[in-house]
């Protein structure tokens, strides 16, 4: 079980394809440095205690699944990669979308 903020070393793992941190006790924000993980296909931080605004994830062109549910994220839903297929936002306080929803034609 991971507790506290995401360690910055995670964002140096540029060959990482899946980052599954679901069901831990992570706190703090999701760093804009997540955009360094250019090979990421799945990002799952659901069911933690993270907060703040989610940075733009548009640079993660290969991202297919994003799970942010059951956190305390706020603000607008960020720009997302067009190839995204699965998106989980349940139980978040994000209230608006900051990009044309039509850009996400592939969502299931």
């Amino acid at each position: 079980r991971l507790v506290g903020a995401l360690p910055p070393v995670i964002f140096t793992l540029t060959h990482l394809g899946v980052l599954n941190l679901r069901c831990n006790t992570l706190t703090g924000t999701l760093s804009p440095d997540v955009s360094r993980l250019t090979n990421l296909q799945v990002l799952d931080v659901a069911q933690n205690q993270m907060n703040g605004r989610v940075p733009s994830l548009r640079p993660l062109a290969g991202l297919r699944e994003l799970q942010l549910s059951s956190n305390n994220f706020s603000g607008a839903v960020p720009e997302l990669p067009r190839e995204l297929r699965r998106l989980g936002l349940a139980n978040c306080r994000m209230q608006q979308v900051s990009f044309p929803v039509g850009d996400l034609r592939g969502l299931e």
Side-chain angles (χ1 to χ4, degrees):
R1 178 156 274 216
L2 299 174
V3 176
L6 284 173
V9 70
I10 287 178
F11 306 116
T12 66
L13 305 173
T14 57
H15 295 290
L16 197 62
V18 174
L19 182 56
N20 185 343
L21 299 169
R22 178 182 285 262
C23 294
N24 284 286
T25 312
L26 295 173
T27 59
T29 61
L30 184 60
S31 171
D33 290 337
V34 71
S35 65
R36 293 183 189 172
L37 303 177
T38 55
N39 290 305
L40 208 57
Q41 295 178 9
V42 176
L43 175 59
D44 188 342
V45 294
Q47 299 179 7
N48 281 286
Q49 298 171 10
M50 298 182 79
N51 59 42
R53 295 181 179 269
V54 176
S56 172
L57 300 173
R58 180 66 60 112
L60 302 178
L63 193 66
R64 300 294 184 264
E65 180 175 348
L66 175 62
Q67 298 295 333
L68 302 173
S69 299
S70 298
N71 277 289
N72 295 312
F73 292 121
S74 59
V77 176
E79 286 189 279
L80 300 170
R82 293 177 186 218
E83 298 303 316
L84 195 68
R85 298 289 178 253
R86 301 185 81 195
L87 175 62
L89 296 173
N91 300 318
C92 282
R93 295 182 300 166
M94 290 186 269
Q95 298 177 353
Q96 51 190 332
V97 176
S98 64
F99 59 92
V101 175
D103 283 355
L104 299 176
R105 293 183 191 100
L107 281 180
E108 296 176 354

